[in-house]
Amino acid sequence: MSTERPRRAVVTGIGVIAPNGLRADAYWKSVREGLGVLDRITREGCEDLPLKVAGEVRGFDPSDLIEEPFLVQTDRFSHYAMAAAQLALDDAGLVHDGPEEPFSIGVVTAAGSGGGEFGQRELQKLWGQGSKFVGPYQSIAWFYAASTGQISIRSGLKGPCGVVASDEAGGLDAIAHAAQGVRRGTGAVLVGAAEAPLAPYSMVCQLGYPELSTVEDPDRAYRPFTSAACGFVPAEGGAMLVVEEESRALDRGAAVRAVVAGHGATFTGASRWEESREGLARAIRVALDEAGCAPEEVDVVFADALGVPEADRAEALAIADALGAHATRVAVTAPKAGIGRAYCGAPVLDTAAAVFAMEHGVVPPTPNVFDICHDLDLVMSRARPAELRTALVLSRGLMGSNAALVVRRGDESAR
């Protein structure tokens, strides 16, 4: 009988480009303090659209981290992803040496919308000036897989690569895909998601979502789990993680920041929020089973927090269905209420926040929420000190996907 320890997927690096911070430490400081950065949209061409509030990434200069040849052939969503990827690699101290090493590191990203800004610009040239004025990179910059490809090429990573083209829950599905690859033999995977939905064409597409908030007051536009819930507001940016095989990480002296322990996913249909109760509860149970985690072991839940009354109610009931009596005792938080929902990037940002929360022993608050109308122990106003060993991250997509991810503290022994 083999006594070899099973391969475990662990997080060794985190890179963030978000509305509330252009690096992981700045992001966590803002999340921990419960700062809300939602504001009026300033992007050119968006002035007359009914969507007025969002989480914009401000002060970001992609040339600080990315070379010009890559910038000219990619959309803003890939700029965010490439920058976050570089930050994650730097954080992990992951440098590939030797002829075989690049083939042991893969790249997986999730994307829900692709490069809308780049695509709109080139299509305007097509109809306004003619086909000869359309740039050659139009054929790739808009594509969902663009970020995966460009990160792989730029960093020389030749291991298994892929893209999860999905709704919001795809961010968690991508992390699960990376963890599964590591357990099967890949050395490490650079994984995550970043989105750039704040361009005129992209925003017009989003206006078809009935869940979108068009409230013009930034402090009231996105208030999940309250009686004043009126929908969500979108956000830019996202996060990238280095998910690595544990013994490989330890051999090179890297810090094991968290263990990717379990994942579950279901599908219940677009905007069928009452049905998402059953689907999300099922995803939670599957994730807990895979992690070998009892419901009472969950110390904090990072909620999906859509901000739509029936969706919020379904999520609260799903947590109760899956965690039982523990559901009313476990701390719940939704940092995204302060920055908006970055679609596939949102749950990856939540996963990064969960890792930081476990490292620092504190549950961050839910910004702009002061009263709730659901039976949840939602952390509000200020951060709550707590010993955190296990976090549950939840996500649902507007198209009907549900996902749950269990992450454990880096110093937790295998279970």
Side-chain angles (χ1 to χ4, degrees):
M1 180 181 295
S2 174
T3 58
E4 184 179 349
R5 182 175 179 177
R7 292 171 62 91
R8 290 208 300 174
V10 301
V11 177
T12 57
I14 300 174
V16 173
I17 300 293
N20 62 344
L22 300 183
R23 293 179 182 270
D25 54 352
Y27 166 73
W28 170 243
K29 183 177 186 294
S30 177
V31 166
R32 181 173 183 165
E33 294 177 1
L35 300 181
V37 298
L38 297 179
D39 208 342
R40 302 280 291 195
I41 297 170
T42 63
R43 203 57 50 74
E44 183 179 358
C46 301
E47 303 86 354
D48 298 326
L49 297 175
L51 176 62
K52 302 297 184 183
V53 173
E56 275 191 28
V57 172
R58 302 176 190 269
F60 172 68
D61 184 351
S63 63
D64 289 341
L65 291 167
I66 307 164
E67 301 81 5
E68 183 65 20
F70 288 97
L71 293 180
V72 299
Q73 57 187 276
T74 50
D75 179 81
R76 188 190 301 266
F77 93 108
S78 292
H79 297 171
Y80 295 147
M82 285 190 287
Q86 185 61 58
L87 293 170
L89 288 171
D90 292 345
D91 186 47
L94 190 61
V95 179
H96 54 83
D97 297 311
E100 296 300 321
E101 183 69 4
F103 291 95
S104 72
I105 305 172
V107 181
V108 176
T109 64
S113 57
E117 185 176 53
F118 195 108
Q120 176 183 336
R121 182 176 67 243
E122 296 305 311
L123 287 175
Q124 285 177 320
K125 292 179 182 177
L126 172 65
W127 295 111
Q129 299 172 273
S131 59
K132 293 182 179 180
F133 292 88
V134 178
Y137 298 117
Q138 162 67 356
S139 61
I140 59 172
W142 68 271
F143 192 43
Y144 300 96
S147 294
T148 289
Q150 297 288 6
I151 291 169
S152 173
I153 293 167
R154 179 175 181 269
S155 301
L157 305 179
K158 303 178 182 180
C161 292
V163 60
V164 177
S166 183
D167 56 23
E168 291 90 321
L172 294 187
D173 296 340
I175 296 173
H177 184 79
Q180 185 178 58
V182 166
R183 295 185 194 115
R184 289 179 172 178
T186 302
V189 179
L190 189 54
V191 61
E195 304 267 25
L198 303 184
Y201 170 75
S202 299
M203 285 174 57
V204 168
C205 292
Q206 292 168 79
L207 291 174
Y209 298 144
E211 296 86 359
L212 193 73
S213 170
T214 55
V215 172
E216 298 187 20
D217 182 350
D219 293 333
R220 298 178 181 275
Y222 182 24
R223 301 187 62 203
F225 299 117
T226 71
S227 59
C230 55
F232 77 95
V233 298
E236 298 180 303
M240 296 293 294
L241 313 175
V242 173
V243 174
E244 189 169 358
E245 198 279 315
E246 183 179 35
S247 62
R248 180 186 191 277
L250 294 174
D251 286 346
R252 66 180 187 84
V256 173
R257 307 188 65 172
V259 179
V260 182
H263 168 262
T266 62
F267 181 81
T268 48
S271 298
R272 297 178 181 176
W273 299 117
E274 287 189 12
E275 295 177 34
S276 75
R277 169 185 178 177
E278 181 181 8
L280 185 59
R282 170 74 176 182
I284 294 171
R285 292 190 189 102
V286 171
L288 293 176
D289 287 346
E290 184 177 282
C293 178
E296 57 270 18
E297 292 181 67
V298 176
D299 299 307
V300 60
V301 176
F302 282 76
D304 175 61
L306 187 62
V308 173
E310 56 268 35
D312 291 348
R313 180 175 183 273
E315 182 172 20
L317 292 172
I319 294 171
D321 292 343
L323 301 186
H326 186 58
T328 57
R329 299 190 295 265
V330 67
V332 178
T333 184
K336 62 170 70 74
I339 63 174
R341 294 169 67 89
Y343 294 102
C344 283
V348 187
L349 285 167
D350 278 347
T351 302
V355 175
F356 288 124
M358 291 188 289
E359 288 179 338
H360 293 271
V362 62
V363 180
T366 305
N368 296 325
V369 173
F370 310 103
D371 61 306
I372 63 170
C373 57
H374 300 280
D375 194 12
L376 295 171
D377 182 16
L378 191 72
V379 179
M380 300 176 285
S381 300
R382 59 174 57 89
R384 179 189 300 175
E387 184 176 1
L388 305 174
R389 294 186 177 90
T390 303
L392 175 65
V393 183
L394 305 180
S395 183
R396 294 171 299 176
L398 297 175
M399 296 298 103
S401 298
N402 312 288
L405 187 75
V406 176
V407 287
R408 290 192 185 272
R409 200 166 65 188
D411 59 2
E412 287 293 287
S413 60
R415 302 193 179 202

